[in-house]
Amino acid sequence: NILRVLKKRRDLCVDLLNRIEGISCYRPHATFYLYPDVTGAMLNKGFADYPQFLQAVLSETGVSVCARTHFGTPLPGETRRYCRFAYSGIELEEIEEGLLRLKNFLES
């Protein structure tokens, strides 16, 4: 059943993201993407803006994510940074591998 598969992927993504220093991820109830807060991770690596951060993540890990700003204008006073992680078409093993690479990069 596709819902069971998506729930397993969601749970794995949320659990692994929450184990990365500087990232905090809410566990949504109905979606196939996540918007973890990556503010701390960006600051820890010395990134002040999304483009540099996204490019470094992609080139260093092969993990492609989008900035929250790709999906709407930040709210007035919004200071936190968020990235969008989609997991609908990614197998559990690939999720685990990619997020381990991300963890290693962000915590090095």
Side-chain angles (χ1 to χ4, degrees), residues 1-17 25-36 63-66 71 83-96 98-99:
N1 170 321
I2 189 65
L3 294 178
R4 187 173 45 250
V5 169
L6 288 173
K7 184 177 184 282
K8 285 182 182 180
R9 290 175 184 171
R10 177 207 61 198
D11 289 346
L12 180 61
C13 283
V14 169
D15 292 346
L16 293 175
L17 285 167
C25 188
Y26 171 78
R27 189 179 312 272
H29 295 287
T31 185
F32 54 86
Y33 51 86
L34 305 169
Y35 278 103
V63 174
S64 177
V65 298
C66 296
F71 299 93
C83 286
R84 183 179 190 256
F85 287 74
Y87 55 83
S88 62
I90 305 171
E91 298 298 325
L92 293 172
E93 296 80 20
E94 294 169 320
I95 290 169
E96 199 162 21
L99 293 181

Side-chain angles (χ1 to χ4, degrees), residues 27-82:
R27 189 179 312 272
H29 295 287
T31 185
F32 54 86
Y33 51 86
L34 305 169
Y35 278 103
D37 182 332
V38 297
T39 308
M42 287 179 67
L43 292 173
N44 291 345
K45 291 299 281 187
F47 294 105
D49 61 39
Y50 286 118
Q52 291 177 332
F53 178 70
L54 299 178
Q55 182 57 49
V57 166
L58 180 59
S59 65
E60 295 294 325
T61 70
V63 174
S64 177
V65 298
C66 296
R68 176 255 186 271
T69 53
H70 289 114
F71 299 93
T73 304
L75 300 171
E78 184 177 311
T79 60
R80 307 298 296 175
R81 304 288 185 169
Y82 301 89

